[in-house]
Amino acid sequence: MRKLTVFATIIATVLATSLPQLAQAQDMGRALGGIFNSLTRPAQPQAPAVPSLGSILGPAIGGRAGGSDLLQMLTQSLDQIDEPREIEIGRQLAAVLLGSKPLHPDLALQRYVNQLGRWISLQSARPQLPWTFGVLDDPGVNAFAAPGGYIFVTKGLVDRVDEAELAGILAHEITHVIDRHHLQALRAKARAGIATQVFSSQLNNNLGGALSAQLLALGRDLYSSGLDQDDEFDADRNGVTLAARAGFDPYGLPSVLQQLRTAAPDNPLFSLSLRTHPAPQLRLDQLELAMGNRLDAFSGKPAVLLSQRLAGRRR
Ligand SMILES: [Zn+2]
């Protein structure tokens, strides 16, 4: 964990004073050194459930590819989606997620999760992506990823895990990004024509002109239905390895799955997560098959509570 502490010092700690709650949320982008600049603009007081996405996102990257072009590409080959376009698609999908839940106003927590996530992503196969991590102000227990390196965890999840468990979850989501699982799923949906169907039922939404309403509709559909089971098993397997490579107890992710397994399926805090993923017991079984006892040498580290990590950061 010393490595993480060293890494943490590299990232500038910008905000030392505590701001009023509302201002905190509004200044999140600046306070986090620009990480969220393109994503967090305060919603209007009378904003609808899905705020104006155009206002949250700001301009598209260099106008390289408009939303409809991106969608067009999705229906063809993933090879045609280079990294800037992948990031642009992810930025638009991140807005879908932020449109349904805002970022939690605890800046110390946001900084910590970013440092943790970035440290893990540096050990991944794609350390150069603009990795961005956020905690959504949502009591539910869930985590989401979008192409290009956008990753969100809910406050409800963060409140229930220790550091190794959070590292396991982040590593699972990072693996989805590395392996472009969401792009593949979007492509399948785009080819199946789901975009058109979903879009036609949402004609009244006021979406930013530069964005592809169809891409956003695909994103909403994807986040409510989930990825392929095999992609989830892959992300579990590779996520455990990645977490271990980053210096964390590889049993962090299995430990969260144990928690999920004991959750009542109809508990609304867990229902979306359970509905969009294979059954926790199935995931544990698959992990056991893959891990055996090969990672046992990396386990047994004393648990670090998030409250310990955050204690020195809130002043
Ligand atoms: Zn997953």
Side-chain angles (χ1 to χ4, degrees), residues 239-251:
V240 161
T241 309
L242 178 58
R245 197 181 307 144
F248 298 97
D249 191 319
Y251 284 90

Side-chain angles (χ1 to χ4, degrees), residues 65-82 85-90 92-93 146-148 180-195 212-220 222-223:
S68 54
D69 294 340
L70 293 172
L71 193 73
Q72 188 66 35
M73 267 186 296
L74 272 174
T75 62
Q76 296 161 14
S77 165
L78 285 193
D79 296 341
Q80 296 181 19
I81 303 181
D82 59 15
R85 290 189 176 101
E86 179 183 358
I87 293 166
E88 176 60 19
I89 290 172
Q92 297 193 23
L93 294 188
R180 312 216 295 175
H181 287 159
H182 291 86
L183 283 182
Q184 288 161 21
L186 285 169
R187 177 167 179 264
K189 284 180 188 298
R191 287 168 77 98
I194 287 173
S212 161
Q214 294 201 356
L215 181 60
L216 297 178
L218 275 181
R220 286 198 193 94
L222 179 59
Y223 290 116

Side-chain angles (χ1 to χ4, degrees), residues 34-292:
I35 294 167
F36 289 113
N37 266 351
S38 63
L39 293 173
T40 53
R41 300 268 180 80
Q44 297 304 309
Q46 302 300 322
V50 179
S52 161
L53 292 164
S55 73
I56 294 173
L57 286 167
I61 294 173
R64 284 184 60 108
S68 54
D69 294 340
L70 293 172
L71 193 73
Q72 188 66 35
M73 267 186 296
L74 272 174
T75 62
Q76 296 161 14
S77 165
L78 285 193
D79 296 341
Q80 296 181 19
I81 303 181
D82 59 15
E83 204 163 280
R85 290 189 176 101
E86 179 183 358
I87 293 166
E88 176 60 19
I89 290 172
R91 203 176 64 96
Q92 297 193 23
L93 294 188
V96 170
L97 296 167
L98 285 170
S100 60
K101 299 287 175 185
L103 289 169
H104 192 274
D106 184 341
L107 280 174
L109 178 65
Q110 297 285 0
R111 277 197 297 264
Y112 162 74
V113 172
N114 263 280
Q115 288 161 4
L116 182 63
R118 286 175 171 209
W119 168 250
I120 299 167
S121 64
L122 282 177
Q123 327 298 319
S124 79
R126 303 178 71 187
Q128 79 289 355
L129 286 176
W131 293 98
T132 306
F133 298 82
V135 180
L136 299 177
D137 194 0
D138 175 357
V141 177
N142 220 332
F144 307 92
Y150 297 97
I151 290 175
F152 298 99
V153 290
T154 58
K155 181 66 163 48
L157 170 69
V158 167
D159 286 343
R160 285 174 170 79
V161 293
D162 65 26
E163 188 169 66
E165 291 168 333
L166 181 55
I169 291 288
L170 294 177
H172 169 105
E173 297 302 329
I174 288 169
T175 299
H176 281 316
V177 174
I178 302 293
D179 293 339
R180 312 216 295 175
H181 287 159
H182 291 86
L183 283 182
Q184 288 161 21
L186 285 169
R187 177 167 179 264
K189 284 180 188 298
R191 287 168 77 98
I194 287 173
T196 315
Q197 293 168 25
V198 179
F199 179 54
S200 62
S201 67
Q202 297 187 353
L203 279 176
N204 291 330
N205 279 4
N206 178 23
L207 299 161
L211 301 180
S212 161
Q214 294 201 356
L215 181 60
L216 297 178
L218 275 181
R220 286 198 193 94
D221 188 58
L222 179 59
Y223 290 116
S224 62
S225 62
L227 294 165
D228 280 357
Q229 286 218 344
D230 285 344
D231 288 350
E232 293 300 346
F233 295 140
D234 275 356
D236 283 344
R237 235 182 350 256
N238 296 327
V240 161
T241 309
L242 178 58
R245 197 181 307 144
F248 298 97
D249 191 319
Y251 284 90
L253 180 63
S255 170
V256 179
L257 294 176
Q258 306 266 19
Q259 279 196 51
L260 284 175
R261 186 181 56 177
T262 56
D266 57 349
N267 181 335
L269 296 180
F270 294 88
S271 54
L272 177 62
S273 176
L274 292 174
R275 183 159 48 88
T276 54
H277 288 77
Q281 184 60 57
L282 204 52
R283 296 173 69 185
L284 283 165
D285 292 345
Q286 292 283 325
L287 263 181
E288 195 180 344
L289 276 176
M291 288 170 73

